[in-house]
């Protein structure tokens, strides 16, 4: 848990920035400790780079006093820094006027977050302003460690973890590429694993680039990115979506070997010698995928996230063949039958990670049914993640994504609260609820979905307790109702989460079991959306 009982002075010239949270002004330099009309209170510096610093802060005006990430832009040359204290009583410049004064790299991060922040695995832009000649960007905070920290703490990644990472992150890359954006700085430090749901989040869009036409050269941006992770064409200023796959490949081989890019690259052969640094066995199938991500020639590399996901699916569906030819790390010779069995067991575990995420992909009828659903959204909501999860019958991820989509459909207040107040139900559009329902029904052969739940509710005489018992959310015996599935509200994340031991059945859900909508509308057991939509 992040501690918030202190305040951190954001004045770059301050020699003792840590202060008790009871103070309004820094006890060392006298700078104000609360920014933007007393709204934001910095509590910790979490990063520093060539364009400024990053702080963890508390949003004093938000419900539950949410944590935020604040980026402060200032030049790194000490001679140019304003040595005066920060006067928080001075007026602030917000929104577009502040953005106009930002250097290009800071401005484009704001523009990208505004464009992409609707995705649950990309931080949303909360605020931007200028104060006392310092420029600030405020964004959503995800509590978790980046993968570089995870690597230090837990050691080299197994094949199963790499497969899980690829399966979780590639849909995010597909989303940003579909929006004509190249991230250009993918590395372990820019991938955060959330503590609440273990999902990875892609951060730091300061280097991202909006592609407005065909590939062209821009020498002004040739140095954008992180040394060691930059694709060859990116270092020459050439725009290509495939550059992100190259950086992703380097990220994977660094995580699976616990080595830096400079330790893995052989300048003599101009190639990546990552296999020689393996401490754990990797299947030939995954090795081929990583090698293709790392191809120096753009036309030999993966061109889309969908291509990589397709090969991951093929890897999982041809697991028996993969078991016959594992890549063996150096020094493993004359393996006994027991050692071979151990390798096979390890590869089975690795293949299972992809099978779990892309399970039943071979069921073409289901996939085609989901793909045929016409996406209709009055509010322009993005359904690509939900469609993808449902194609894979990844019920757990689809349940979470449905929750987030409905919150977005209900408006900003509901997104901040983590539930829908009854007076905000009017903001929901029936077309979006029907789209959600059609996707669920298509993926489950009409066993799951909002309309299925409504039908069961009607069949049970409009009795929500009987309906809960019928769909597996509770039991009703001898007139005594007991919940089987239940949720609690997590205050730091402002989101509902399932209580331990009371999670839904994501393996074999009975009819009407998913998506779980209980608790989503404050004070309503069921039906939550009958006043808005008739299915």
């Amino acid at each position: 848990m992040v501690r918030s009982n202190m305040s951190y002075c954001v004045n770059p010239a301050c020699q003792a920035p840590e202060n008790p949270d009871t103070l309004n002004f820094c006890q060392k330099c006298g700078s104000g400790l609360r920014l933007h009309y007393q709204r934001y209170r910095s509590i910790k510096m979490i990063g520093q780079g060539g364009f400024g610093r990053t702080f963890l802060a508390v949003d004093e005006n938000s419900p539950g006093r949410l944590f935020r990430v604040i980026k402060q832009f200032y030049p790194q040359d000490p001679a140019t820094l304003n040595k005066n204290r920060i006067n928080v009583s001075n007026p602030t410049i917000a929104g577009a006027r502040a953005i106009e004064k930002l250097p290009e790299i800071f401005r484009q991060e704001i523009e990208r977050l505004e464009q992409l922040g609707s995705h649950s695995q990309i931080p949303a832009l909360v605020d931007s302003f200028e104060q006392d000649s310092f420029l600030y960007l405020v964004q959503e905070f995800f509590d978790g460690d980046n993968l570089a920290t995870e690597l230090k703490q837990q050691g080299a990644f197994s094949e199963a973890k790499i497969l899980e990472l690829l399966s979780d992150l590639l849909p995010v890359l597909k989303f940003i590429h579909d929006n004509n954006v190249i991230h250009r700085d993918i590395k372990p430090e820019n991938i955060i694993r959330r503590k609440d749901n273990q999902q990875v989040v892609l951060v730091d869009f300061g280097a991202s680039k909006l592609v407005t036409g065909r590939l062209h050269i821009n020498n002004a941006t040739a140095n954008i990115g992180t040394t060691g992770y930059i694709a060859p064409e990116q270092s020459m200023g050439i725009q290509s979506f495939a550059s992100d796959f190259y950086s992703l490949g380097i990220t994977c081989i660094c995580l699976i070997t616990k080595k830096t890019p400079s330790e893995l690259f052989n300048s003599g052969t101009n190639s990546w010698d990552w296999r020689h640094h393996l401490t754990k066995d990797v299947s030939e199938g995954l090795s081929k995928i990583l090698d293709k991500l790392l191809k120096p020639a753009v036309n030999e590399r993966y061109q889309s996230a969908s291509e990589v996901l397709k090969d991951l699916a093929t890897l999982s569906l041809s697991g028996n063949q993969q078991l016959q030819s594992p890549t063996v790390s150096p020094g493993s010779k004359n393996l006994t039958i027991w050692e071979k069995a151990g390798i096979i067991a390890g590869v089975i575990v690795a293949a299972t990670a992809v099978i779990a995420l892309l399970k039943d992909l071979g069921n073409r009828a289901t996939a085609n049914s989901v793909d045929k659903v016409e996406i209709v959204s009055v509010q322009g909501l993005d359904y690509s993640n939900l469609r993808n999860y449902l194609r894979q019958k990844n019920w757990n991820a689809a349940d979470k994504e449905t929750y987030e989509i409905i919150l977005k459909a209900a408006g900003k207040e509901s997104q901040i609260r983590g539930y829908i107040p009854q007076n905000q139900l009017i903001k929901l559009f029936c077309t979006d609820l029907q789209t959600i329902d059609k996707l669920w029904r298509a993926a489950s052969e009409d066993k799951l979905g909002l309309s299925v739940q409504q039908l069961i509710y009607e069949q049970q005489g409009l009795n929500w307790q009987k309906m809960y018992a019928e769909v597996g959310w509770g039991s009703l015996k001898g007139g005594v109702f007991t919940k089987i599935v239940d949720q609690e509200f997590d205050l730091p994340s402002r989101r509902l989460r399932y209580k331990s031991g009371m999670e839904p059945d994501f393996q074999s859900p009975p009819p009407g079991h998913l998506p779980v909508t209980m608790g989503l509308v404050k004070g309503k057991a069921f039906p939550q959306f009958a006043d808005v939509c008739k299915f």
Side-chain angles (χ1 to χ4, degrees):
M1 178 63 66
V2 182
R3 294 175 63 247
S4 59
N5 60 351
M6 65 167 291
S7 296
Y8 194 97
C9 179
V10 298
N11 184 354
C14 185
Q15 299 299 308
E18 295 185 351
N19 292 269
D21 64 347
T22 55
L23 299 181
N24 291 321
F25 297 93
C26 178
Q27 55 193 354
K28 179 66 177 181
C29 71
S31 294
L33 295 174
R34 286 168 171 77
L35 297 169
H36 202 27
Y37 303 109
Q38 313 298 310
R39 177 171 180 178
Y40 303 109
R41 176 171 60 87
S42 172
I43 60 176
K44 179 184 178 182
M45 186 172 77
I46 56 177
Q48 185 166 0
F51 296 95
R53 301 185 298 172
T54 305
F55 302 92
L56 179 62
V58 175
D59 185 346
E60 303 283 7
N61 288 2
S62 66
R65 300 172 69 247
L66 297 177
F67 291 111
R68 305 292 191 195
V69 172
I70 294 184
K71 289 192 174 184
Q72 176 195 56
F73 175 84
Y74 71 90
Q76 292 295 289
D77 183 359
T80 65
L81 283 178
N82 185 352
K83 301 297 183 180
N84 298 326
R85 69 183 186 181
I86 295 176
N87 181 5
V88 294
S89 64
N90 285 347
T92 65
I93 301 175
R97 289 179 59 200
I99 294 175
E100 289 174 2
K101 303 184 69 174
L102 290 172
E104 176 62 25
I105 193 160
F106 215 64
R107 183 188 306 124
Q108 66 190 16
E109 181 164 13
I110 287 180
E111 293 171 349
R112 294 298 84 78
L113 290 179
E114 286 181 331
Q115 178 183 0
L116 305 173
S118 61
H119 195 287
S120 62
Q121 291 170 262
I122 297 173
L125 179 68
V126 176
D127 208 347
S128 59
F129 58 92
E130 177 192 357
Q131 191 162 335
D132 282 312
S133 299
F134 291 102
L135 304 162
Y136 296 92
L137 177 156
V138 185
Q139 63 189 51
E140 185 179 8
F141 167 71
F142 294 105
D143 191 11
D145 294 323
N146 65 47
L147 296 192
T149 300
E150 184 175 317
L151 182 65
K152 292 178 183 177
Q153 294 174 346
Q154 301 181 19
F157 279 36
S158 66
E159 175 165 349
K161 287 186 69 173
I162 294 296
L163 292 171
E164 182 183 14
L165 171 64
L166 289 170
S167 299
D168 207 9
L169 194 59
L170 283 165
V172 184
L173 287 181
K174 183 180 185 304
F175 172 76
I176 69 173
H177 291 173
D178 286 349
N179 280 274
N180 294 321
V181 173
I182 311 171
H183 187 278
R184 300 198 300 177
D185 198 16
I186 294 175
K187 58 183 179 180
E189 289 82 358
N190 284 341
I191 305 171
I192 295 173
R193 190 184 303 282
R194 295 179 60 163
K195 291 181 179 179
D196 55 355
N197 60 12
Q198 296 302 300
Q199 195 173 47
V200 295
V201 178
L202 187 60
V203 301
D204 199 348
F205 282 76
S208 63
K209 178 67 177 178
L210 180 66
V211 179
T212 55
R214 300 188 66 182
L215 303 186
H216 65 277
I217 298 176
N218 183 356
N219 291 325
T221 62
N223 293 324
I224 291 295
T226 300
T227 301
Y229 293 91
I230 301 175
E233 70 279 0
Q234 184 176 327
S235 66
M236 294 184 288
I238 300 175
Q239 298 178 11
S240 172
F241 294 117
S243 300
D244 281 344
F245 301 127
Y246 188 87
S247 301
L248 178 61
I250 299 173
T251 295
C252 288
I253 63 174
C254 289
L255 293 173
I256 208 166
T257 61
K258 203 179 180 182
K259 299 292 182 180
T260 63
S262 60
E263 293 174 306
L264 297 175
F265 188 74
N266 187 327
S267 58
T269 61
N270 194 34
S271 63
W272 295 96
D273 288 344
W274 60 276
R275 284 176 171 81
H276 299 307
H277 297 276
L278 288 172
T279 59
K280 301 176 182 178
D281 301 304
V282 178
S283 68
E284 186 62 26
L286 177 61
S287 299
K288 289 179 178 179
I289 290 174
L290 295 179
D291 285 340
K292 189 170 180 179
L293 288 169
L294 295 167
K295 289 288 186 181
V298 175
N299 62 350
E300 295 179 1
R301 205 180 304 152
Y302 286 107
Q303 300 299 302
S304 71
S306 297
E307 287 184 18
V308 194
L309 285 169
K310 181 179 178 181
D311 280 359
L312 285 173
T314 303
L315 171 63
S316 70
L317 293 171
S318 59
N320 289 335
Q321 294 180 351
Q322 303 300 333
L323 296 179
Q324 304 303 318
S325 55
T327 297
V328 182
S329 57
S332 298
K333 300 178 181 179
N334 301 321
L335 298 179
T336 68
I337 186 64
W338 303 110
E339 290 171 325
K340 291 178 180 178
I343 293 174
I344 291 174
V347 179
I348 290 174
V349 172
T352 301
V354 177
I355 294 171
L357 189 70
L358 303 171
K359 62 181 178 181
D360 289 329
L361 193 61
N363 187 341
R364 305 298 182 184
T366 297
N368 290 339
S369 295
V370 174
D371 289 340
K372 288 179 180 178
V373 173
E374 181 183 3
I375 301 299
V376 180
S377 176
V378 175
Q379 294 149 295
L381 300 179
D382 175 33
Y383 286 92
S384 57
N385 278 347
L386 180 58
R387 189 197 290 269
N388 188 45
Y389 293 141
L390 289 172
R391 288 184 80 254
Q392 303 157 11
K393 293 193 175 180
N394 186 343
W395 305 129
N396 191 345
D399 183 61
K400 293 176 183 176
E401 183 68 13
T402 299
Y403 171 41
E404 293 295 335
I405 288 176
I406 293 176
L407 285 180
K408 290 175 185 176
K412 197 67 176 178
E413 181 181 344
S414 296
Q415 279 187 270
I416 293 173
R417 289 177 179 271
Y419 60 84
I420 304 173
Q422 291 192 36
N423 63 359
Q424 297 296 308
L425 273 172
I426 193 173
K427 293 186 178 181
L428 285 172
F429 285 88
C430 187
T431 49
D432 281 290
L433 293 174
Q434 288 174 337
T435 297
I436 292 170
D437 178 59
K438 289 175 183 177
L439 287 169
W440 274 94
R441 288 177 55 190
S444 64
E445 298 178 344
D446 291 326
K447 286 178 56 181
L448 305 174
L450 302 176
S451 63
V452 179
Q453 294 168 356
Q454 180 67 31
L455 177 61
I456 293 173
Y457 177 65
E458 293 172 0
Q459 290 174 343
Q460 297 302 316
L462 307 182
N463 184 310
W464 69 267
Q465 291 185 343
K466 290 182 178 180
M467 179 267 181
Y468 275 30
E470 188 67 21
V471 302
W473 294 351
S475 69
L476 189 60
K477 296 180 180 179
V480 178
F481 174 78
T482 305
K483 279 189 176 181
I484 296 175
V485 175
D486 201 7
Q487 297 170 310
E488 59 188 0
F489 195 73
D490 180 59
L491 191 58
S493 66
R494 302 293 302 179
R495 286 296 182 267
L496 291 167
R497 65 183 180 188
Y498 295 113
K499 294 181 180 179
S500 178
M502 302 185 77
E503 299 88 354
D505 183 355
F506 292 119
Q507 299 303 316
S508 302
H513 192 64
L514 297 172
V516 175
T517 55
M518 66 170 72
L520 187 51
V521 180
K522 190 73 170 178
K524 296 194 76 173
F526 198 89
Q528 288 88 346
F529 310 119
D531 297 335
V532 179
C533 195
K534 301 296 182 184
F535 298 102

